[in-house]
Amino acid sequence: QLLSKAYAVLSDAEQRAVYDEQGTVDEEGEVLGGERDWLEYWRLLFKKITTKDIEDFEKNYKNSEEELADIKAAYVDSEGDMDRIMDSLLCVDYTDEPRIREVIEKAIESGEVPSYKAFVKESKQKKMARKRRAEREAKEAEATKEELGLGDEDDLKALIQSRNQDRKKKMDDFLAQMEAKYGNSAKKGAKKTAGKKGK
């Protein structure tokens, strides 16, 4: 919603000029007041990402020069901490770890990266703990998916829209309560101030 408001103001020449000059926007104005299906609007600007797009990216990324560079950079940044390396890389799970290790070992042998104790002396217990954690997270993700009934992208879209409507209703209710509580007293205060000026 905030991004949408910013875009609405910045893309309207008159509102932009007012904002540049005064640093304020007209919250009640036509530019911000209209109802719009923002999901549909942003979809016109940005291509929809499908599961196939993600799978294609993963296929092209794995074993690419880009991934090799990312693995070496993650290794150096984390000073050989395999937990941090695995957390920071794209498109990997614990089954990729032997492959990632092999890339790093070759880079150490060739002198491309330094040899860190955290990597070469990592304990078996730490490796097993990382594997168990990854397996547990995968199960939790699958259980959450089933619990939410997310069978496909249309289900996910429907869930997002439903949550957005709930948030909007809660915000409208909150604003109505604030207006009922403070709206009248603010107006009375304004009248008193005006009266004092008149005297």
Side-chain angles (χ1 to χ4, degrees):
Q1 288 175 339
L2 290 172
L3 286 172
S4 300
K5 280 188 175 185
Y7 181 81
V9 170
L10 297 176
S11 60
D12 181 272
E14 191 177 328
Q15 286 282 328
R16 173 71 182 262
V18 171
Y19 179 76
D20 287 343
E21 187 179 329
Q22 301 175 8
T24 60
V25 295
D26 180 8
E27 292 281 349
E28 304 299 322
E30 194 177 312
V31 174
L32 296 180
E35 288 294 321
R36 181 187 285 227
D37 183 344
W38 286 107
L39 187 64
E40 185 180 335
Y41 177 73
W42 292 114
R43 182 59 59 231
L44 293 172
L45 299 180
F46 300 103
K47 177 180 176 288
K48 184 176 182 179
I49 302 297
T50 65
T51 304
K52 185 179 184 309
D53 290 327
I54 296 170
E55 288 169 353
D56 288 345
F57 172 80
E58 185 174 347
K59 195 187 303 177
N60 292 323
Y61 177 74
K62 281 191 172 181
N63 298 308
S64 67
E65 289 298 319
E66 184 182 1
E67 188 197 38
L68 294 177
D70 288 346
I71 292 169
K72 293 170 195 172
Y75 170 77
V76 172
D77 290 345
S78 66
E79 297 184 346
D81 185 324
M82 204 61 191
D83 285 348
R84 287 168 57 197
I85 293 168
M86 294 299 289
D87 283 343
S88 65
L89 292 174
L90 295 173
C91 306
V92 298
D93 59 37
Y94 72 91
T95 62
D96 290 292
E97 187 169 327
R99 182 177 65 84
I100 304 298
R101 281 190 164 278
E102 189 179 341
V103 169
I104 294 169
E105 285 163 1
K106 284 181 179 176
I108 293 171
E109 285 172 22
S110 66
E112 291 178 74
V113 295
S115 174
Y116 291 115
K117 185 179 178 182
F119 177 79
V120 294
K121 301 281 188 183
E122 185 181 43
S123 68
K124 287 183 179 178
Q125 289 91 341
K126 191 177 178 189
K127 289 178 188 175
M128 288 305 298
R130 183 167 53 251
K131 182 181 177 183
R132 283 194 299 270
R133 187 168 62 249
E135 288 173 339
R136 186 176 67 248
E137 286 170 0
K139 283 180 185 174
E140 286 171 0
E142 195 59 38
T144 302
K145 184 179 173 184
E146 286 177 18
E147 183 184 319
L148 295 173
L150 300 180
D152 57 32
E153 290 169 14
D154 288 336
D155 289 343
L156 180 58
K157 181 179 174 183
L159 178 67
I160 291 168
Q161 288 176 334
S162 170
R163 285 187 175 171
N164 285 343
Q165 286 170 357
D166 288 344
R167 285 194 193 105
K168 184 179 184 305
K169 185 178 183 308
K170 284 177 184 173
M171 180 55 81
D172 288 345
D173 290 346
F174 171 73
L175 292 174
Q177 287 172 9
M178 294 299 286
E179 189 177 0
K181 188 172 182 181
Y182 299 108
N184 293 333
S185 60
K187 286 174 186 172
K188 285 176 187 172
K191 284 179 184 174
K192 284 179 184 174
T193 307
K196 285 179 183 175
K197 280 186 178 177
K199 287 179 182 176

